[in-house]
Amino acid sequence: MKINVSLSVLLFCCFGYSQEVPKDGDIEKTSLTYVKCDLSFPIKANQHAGEIDTYTGEKEYWFLPDGISARIGFGVKPLDWINIGANLGIDWKGSKCLVVAPVFATLKICPKVESDTRIFIEPGFGRAFAFGKNDSGYFKKISIGAEDTDTGLGLYVELCQYGFSKNTAETIGSFCVGLTFRIH
């Protein structure tokens, strides 16, 4: 008797299930891959900050630009809020007269905070190759920012470190402010 009741309830539940079938125009196409472009500007502290320039009579800025970084990344989105990617780029550090090609992997965690805004943290690790000299080393970075989910445009700040130096024993690092553009 219990088996008959259980089978009846199971069949009733199976036949009672319904699903709305979307029309062709209603289906939202989601991609599991992405392409992103980053453009950032390393900045450094101005040693003459706050002083009056004798030629212009204006106060010196607190921070100065110190180069440019351009990177491109490819990856997958196993979940809507996690991205795993491979990146490559070129970084120019003006004060150190150094041009570097970083090749690195990233893990981006980007939860939604509003319906069209995501905040993200993106650590990365890989190798950096210096142009003009036979030197390479590790490359580490971490980015924190926000992006618009509709346009894919975002702003971020980044700390990165190269595992070598041009002339001294210390490693080179930079603080960057940048823009990111993600293509679905």
Side-chain angles (χ1 to χ4, degrees), residues 87-130:
N87 302 272
L88 58 103
I90 188 161
D91 296 356
W92 170 53
K93 188 90 166 111
S95 64
K96 301 290 184 183
C97 298
L98 184 67
V99 179
V100 177
V103 178
F104 58 99
T106 58
L107 173 67
K108 184 176 183 180
I109 301 169
C110 48
K112 267 190 180 180
V113 292
E114 290 183 9
S115 63
D116 60 347
T117 305
R118 290 185 181 274
I119 58 170
F120 65 85
I121 184 166
E122 183 180 41
F125 188 77
R127 296 290 293 177
F129 304 96

Side-chain angles (χ1 to χ4, degrees), residues 40-88:
S40 63
F41 302 95
I43 58 176
K44 67 175 184 170
N46 186 358
Q47 63 185 359
H48 303 292
E51 296 178 6
I52 304 293
D53 187 355
T54 57
Y55 298 108
T56 62
E58 296 177 354
K59 283 189 174 182
E60 291 284 338
Y61 296 110
W62 285 97
F63 299 102
L64 295 174
D66 192 27
I68 192 167
S69 297
R71 300 179 186 143
I72 187 164
F74 310 94
V76 294
K77 298 185 293 187
L79 298 173
D80 194 30
W81 55 277
I82 293 180
N83 300 340
I84 301 168
N87 302 272
L88 58 103

Side-chain angles (χ1 to χ4, degrees), residues 9-20:
V9 170
L10 182 64
L11 286 174
F12 178 74
C13 290
C14 289
F15 290 124
Y17 176 75
S18 68
Q19 180 178 359
E20 182 180 345

